[in-house]
């Protein structure tokens, strides 16, 4: 029987790939696998000095980097519970998540620490910079002294050399808690997803067993947030356990920066979200297809096949030339883009997952992927459609298996809502069907989450709550319009009239409201524009706005 140990996968990869390149910040730090092991050993010494024991919580808040990955791997391999926090969260949210999780240490970027206040995090023993392990704040004298002499302590522990034999990790048990991942950016709505080691092991094991085209030593471009499970598990942990060379983008992943990285790294596998792929296709392919001569050629038999083959060849070249597959997750692909990519035989597939499953639920290789499907259920997982006819009548998608979370941290009510009984079935909150071949089709999301430009989770209700509290706003809806957030606002016209405000002055107030709103929001969830709605939004008998009527 196979050992279901995530730490064994990590350890074995480090030992096997000792002299290979492991982690690179594009334009910055470079670590071989042996360097990563040595850095992890130093972090472990600091954990010991702080008096931490397996099960203690350690928060990580910073931009994607090789050092971020090192800190996360250090937590797993020492039995600590890692608490990734999105670096774009406002300081009050970072404070809240550190406190709610009970984190004893906070690894943080220096630029983020500048705006934090240790006084409102009373249980925190120290803040440690992710890069270079500087310590701007510490309540633990032994930890401070150890950090100041870390090379001396390392030399005492490993007096002759640090070699493969010294890579000794915590013996993780499958059901032990490994990570608390917060799904929301609001104090009132934040839910800490408790993921055990076996969830990560099962996700990584599935990728190792099924993505055969990714080979040890090959390059990967990491563009998704490590603080989210899709980027963390599929794009970082999985290739690390395979012995790949991970490249982290240190700047905002614009199409120009991403394409430059692809040209340099020449990846065989690309993990992304729809918006990034759609921007590249719309900017680099669709304008050419609109040219009159190209349109004409696409209507001529045989000529159209040769032209499409050339477009596919050029597109593969734009992604570095070695591409075997692009896996899109987090949200559905735009139908026009998906249809075009299938038409030219481009190796793209859409997977399905959620934080609560660490994240994988379904996937299918691009060769057998069906248009508009999100693949077939992954190994060690089951899917059930709560419907009288799962093939034709959409129903709630229920999942069960080793990828599934243990529940929400300190939130039994929210846990009970998604686990309606003790059978282990998790209600995903999504609606869908499943065909006779096992391919899942999502017909709609009962959840309202919007995916941000780099994979961040955006919850419109949280933004609306802030907007509705601003002057002369009666009610509002936040919608996604081609990657931009738009506020639909129904003003309080009665109050405006009472103050003798005409429509022009109401619009000016709303302009000011959007500025005030954006000052309260992280960059990825700022509202780009607004539209005045003359009448109230249509509502259900329960007075909930019928959101689907207003989607762009």
């Amino acid at each position: 029987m196979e050992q279901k140990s995530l730490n064994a996968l990590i350890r074995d990869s480090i030992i096997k790939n000792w002299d290979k390149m492991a982690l690179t910040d594009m334009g910055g730090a470079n670590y071989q696998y042996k360097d990563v092991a040595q850095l992890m050993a130093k972090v472990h010494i600091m954990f010991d000095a702080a008096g931490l024991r397996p099960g203690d919580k350690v928060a990580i808040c910073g931009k994607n980097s090789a050092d971020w990955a090192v800190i996360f791997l250090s937590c797993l391999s020492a039995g600590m519970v890692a608490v990734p926090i999105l670096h774009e969260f406002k300081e009050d949210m970072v404070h809240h998540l550190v406190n709610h999780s009970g984190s004893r240490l906070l690894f943080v970027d220096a630029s983020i620490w500048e705006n934090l206040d240790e006084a409102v995090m009373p249980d925190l023993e120290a803040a440690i910079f992710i890069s270079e392990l500087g310590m701007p704040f510490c309540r633990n004298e032994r930890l401070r002294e150890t950090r100041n002499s870390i090379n001396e302590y390392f030399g005492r522990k490993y007096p002759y050399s640090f070699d493969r034999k010294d890579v000794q990790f915590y013996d993780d048990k499958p059901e032990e808690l490994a990570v608390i991942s917060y799904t929301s950016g609001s104090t009132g709505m934040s839910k800490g997803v408790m993921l055990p080691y076996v969830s990560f092991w099962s996700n990584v094991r599935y990728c190792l067993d099924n993505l055969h085209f990714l080979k040890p030593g090959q390059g990967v471009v990491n563009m998704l947030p490590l603080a989210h499970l899709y980027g963390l598990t599929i794009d970082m942990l999985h290739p690390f356990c395979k012995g790949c060379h991970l490249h982290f983008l240190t700047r905002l992943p614009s199409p120009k920066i991403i394409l430059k990285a692809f040209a340099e790294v020449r990846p065989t596998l690309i993990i992304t979200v729809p918006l990034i792929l759609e921007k590249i296709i719309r900017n680099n392919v669709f304008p050419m297809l609109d040219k009159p001569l190209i349109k004409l050629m696409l209507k001529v038999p045989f000529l159209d096949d040769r032209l499409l083959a050339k477009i596919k060849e050029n597109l593969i070249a734009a992604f570095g030339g070695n591409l075997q597959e692009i896996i899109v997750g987090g949200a559905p692909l735009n139908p026009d883009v998906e249809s075009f990519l299938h038409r030219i035989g481009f190796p793209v597939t859409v997977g399905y997952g959620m934080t609560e499953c660490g994240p994988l639920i379904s996937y299918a290789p691009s060769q057998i992927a069906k248009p508009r499907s999100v693949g077939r259920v992954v190994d060690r997982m089951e899917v059930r459609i709560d419907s009288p006819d799962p093939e034709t009548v959409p129903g709630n998608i229920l999942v069960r298996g080793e990828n599934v979370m243990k529940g929400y941290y300190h939130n039994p009510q929210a846990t009970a809502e998604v686990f309606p009984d003790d059978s282990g079935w998790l209600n995903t909150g999504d609606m869908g069907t499943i065909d006779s071949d096992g391919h899942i089709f999502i017909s709609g999301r009962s959840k309202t989450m919007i995916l941000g430009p780099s994979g961040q989770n955006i919850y419109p209700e949280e933004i609306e709550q802030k907007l509705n509290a601003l002057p002369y706003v009666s009610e509002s809806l936040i919608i996604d319009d081609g990657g931009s957030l738009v506020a639909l606002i129904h003003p309080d016209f009665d109050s405006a009239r009472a103050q003798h405000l005409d429509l022009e002055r109401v619009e000016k107030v709303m302009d000011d409201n959007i500025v005030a709103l954006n000052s309260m929001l992280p960059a990825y969830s700022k509202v780009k524009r607004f539209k005045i709605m003359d009448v109230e939004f249509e509502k259900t008998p329960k007075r909930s706005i019928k959101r689907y009527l207003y989607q762009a």
Side-chain angles (χ1 to χ4, degrees):
M1 184 176 174
E2 184 176 10
Q3 179 189 15
K4 296 182 179 181
S5 169
L6 176 65
N7 282 340
L9 292 179
I10 297 169
R11 183 191 65 235
D12 291 350
S13 180
I14 289 173
I15 292 171
K16 185 177 180 181
N17 301 289
W18 192 249
D19 292 313
K20 289 195 178 92
M21 290 304 301
L23 308 174
T24 291
D25 290 334
M26 301 207 71
N30 284 288
Y31 298 136
Q32 293 175 289
Y33 276 84
K34 61 185 176 186
D35 300 325
V36 174
Q38 186 167 314
L39 287 166
M40 290 166 68
K42 289 182 178 180
V43 176
H44 291 170
I45 290 170
M46 293 173 66
F47 286 160
D48 288 341
L52 267 60
R53 296 289 176 265
D56 284 339
K57 319 297 189 302
V58 176
I60 314 170
C61 184
K63 293 181 179 179
N64 279 17
S65 69
D67 289 316
W68 197 109
V70 169
I71 300 302
F72 180 79
L73 292 167
S74 300
C75 290
L76 290 181
S77 55
M80 305 304 158
V81 177
V83 183
I85 298 175
L86 200 63
H87 74 275
E88 291 150 309
F89 280 160
K90 294 288 186 180
E91 48 268 27
D92 58 344
M93 175 52 54
V94 177
H95 293 149
H96 165 69
L97 297 184
V98 168
N99 290 333
H100 185 269
S101 63
S103 293
R104 292 182 59 188
L105 297 180
L106 168 63
F107 286 87
V108 64
D109 284 351
S111 58
I112 295 172
W113 178 252
E114 287 176 9
N115 300 308
L116 298 181
D117 182 0
E118 63 267 25
V120 298
M121 297 181 286
D123 296 329
L124 193 66
E125 297 201 24
I128 304 167
F129 291 147
I130 292 172
S131 176
E132 306 293 337
L133 301 180
M135 197 177 296
F137 159 74
C138 186
R139 293 185 171 113
N140 185 315
E141 200 51 47
R142 182 168 171 239
L143 173 59
R144 186 195 305 278
E145 196 274 326
T146 300
R147 167 60 192 98
N148 290 341
S149 307
I150 188 64
N151 290 330
E152 181 184 334
Y153 278 91
F154 183 80
R156 281 188 212 162
K157 187 168 183 180
Y158 307 103
Y160 302 109
S161 66
F162 183 85
D163 211 338
R164 289 177 172 90
K165 68 180 184 308
D166 297 306
V167 181
Q168 302 292 329
F169 290 166
Y170 175 72
D171 183 16
D172 55 306
K173 304 297 185 293
E175 292 309 313
E176 278 184 290
L177 185 59
V179 169
I180 299 176
S181 177
Y182 284 90
T183 62
S184 168
S186 159
T187 302
M189 300 173 67
S190 57
K191 291 183 291 188
V193 175
M194 296 190 292
L195 291 163
Y197 278 92
V198 72
S199 173
F200 290 97
W201 172 85
S202 180
N203 272 274
V204 171
R205 184 75 262 167
Y206 179 83
C207 294
L208 294 176
D209 291 343
N210 291 277
L211 305 181
H212 302 293
F213 47 83
L214 183 66
K215 307 295 184 186
Q218 290 182 338
V220 173
V221 177
N222 299 79
M223 61 187 120
L224 299 179
L226 289 171
H228 281 307
L229 269 295
Y230 189 32
L232 180 65
T233 308
I234 311 305
D235 209 17
M236 191 275 277
L237 268 179
H238 147 237
F240 186 88
C241 289
K242 184 160 270 184
C244 297
H245 182 186
L246 283 60
H247 298 74
F248 297 97
L249 298 179
T250 52
R251 291 186 290 167
L252 192 68
S254 69
K256 184 177 179 181
I257 289 171
I258 290 169
L259 289 174
K260 183 174 181 293
F262 290 155
E264 186 176 325
V265 177
R266 297 172 57 81
T268 56
L269 171 68
I270 293 172
I271 307 290
T272 187
V273 292
L275 197 59
I276 292 174
L277 179 59
E278 288 164 10
K279 277 186 177 179
I280 291 170
I281 300 298
R282 290 185 186 281
N283 293 344
N284 296 285
V285 179
F286 281 4
M288 179 183 65
L289 297 180
D290 279 336
K291 293 179 179 177
L293 180 60
I294 300 294
K295 282 185 173 181
L296 182 64
M297 291 172 69
L298 287 173
K299 292 178 181 177
V300 179
F302 304 114
L303 198 57
D304 63 334
D305 288 341
R306 292 178 64 184
L307 179 61
L308 291 173
K310 188 66 178 174
I311 292 171
K312 176 185 175 182
E313 182 184 324
N314 290 341
L315 199 52
I316 295 285
F319 286 100
N322 286 337
L323 183 67
Q324 295 290 308
E325 185 163 279
I326 292 183
I327 304 176
V328 175
L333 256 178
N334 173 277
D336 293 339
V337 172
E338 184 178 27
S339 175
F340 168 74
L341 292 175
H342 276 287
R343 183 181 178 191
I344 67 172
F346 190 74
V348 64
T349 186
V350 179
Y352 170 48
M354 60 191 301
T355 303
E356 287 84 348
C357 293
L360 284 184
I361 293 174
S362 63
Y363 158 84
S366 56
Q367 301 92 325
I368 65 166
K370 295 184 179 182
R372 310 315 305 274
S373 168
V374 293
R376 298 188 288 206
V377 66
V378 298
D379 298 344
R380 296 168 294 279
M381 288 285 283
E382 302 172 76
V383 165
R384 179 163 65 86
I385 307 294
D386 189 12
S387 161
D389 184 359
E391 284 196 46
T392 60
V393 180
N396 274 320
I397 300 174
L398 308 176
V399 295
R400 182 170 67 179
E402 294 194 355
N403 294 14
V404 176
M405 68 169 181
K406 296 166 72 72
Y408 297 113
Y409 191 59
H410 290 335
N411 197 337
Q413 181 179 346
T415 302
E417 287 172 5
V418 296
F419 290 108
D421 53 45
D422 58 3
S423 63
W425 287 104
L426 169 72
N427 187 342
T428 64
D430 295 325
M431 306 285 286
T433 57
I434 187 166
D435 69 13
S436 56
D437 294 327
H439 287 264
I440 300 167
F441 297 82
I442 296 176
S443 52
R445 294 184 179 267
S446 54
K447 295 179 292 184
T448 58
M449 188 266 286
I450 296 169
L451 198 73
S454 299
Q456 307 96 332
N457 293 348
I458 300 170
Y459 294 82
E461 295 95 335
E462 300 171 7
I463 304 175
E464 291 155 13
Q465 190 176 26
K466 291 178 170 64
L467 181 53
N468 292 345
L470 295 173
Y472 300 104
V473 177
S474 175
E475 55 184 1
S476 64
L477 267 186
I478 301 298
I479 63 170
D480 178 17
D481 185 10
S484 295
L485 294 186
V486 177
L488 307 181
I489 303 172
H490 176 57
D492 185 347
F493 286 116
D494 290 339
S495 296
R497 277 191 291 269
Q499 297 298 318
H500 308 292
L501 299 183
D502 58 18
L503 184 58
E504 186 175 338
R505 290 177 68 187
V506 168
E507 288 185 341
K508 177 63 175 71
V509 171
M510 296 307 156
D511 262 326
D512 295 339
N513 284 344
I514 296 300
V515 171
L517 173 69
N518 284 337
S519 72
M520 299 183 270
L521 300 171
Y524 66 82
S525 63
K526 290 187 188 301
V527 172
K528 294 290 188 294
R529 58 187 175 86
F530 70 91
K531 179 183 177 184
I532 298 289
M533 308 296 287
D534 294 329
V535 296
E536 276 192 31
F537 296 102
E538 282 196 42
K539 299 184 180 67
T540 66
K542 292 170 64 179
R543 300 296 294 165
S544 299
I545 295 173
K546 294 181 178 179
R547 287 180 174 272
Y548 63 91
L549 295 177
Y550 301 95
Q551 297 305 312

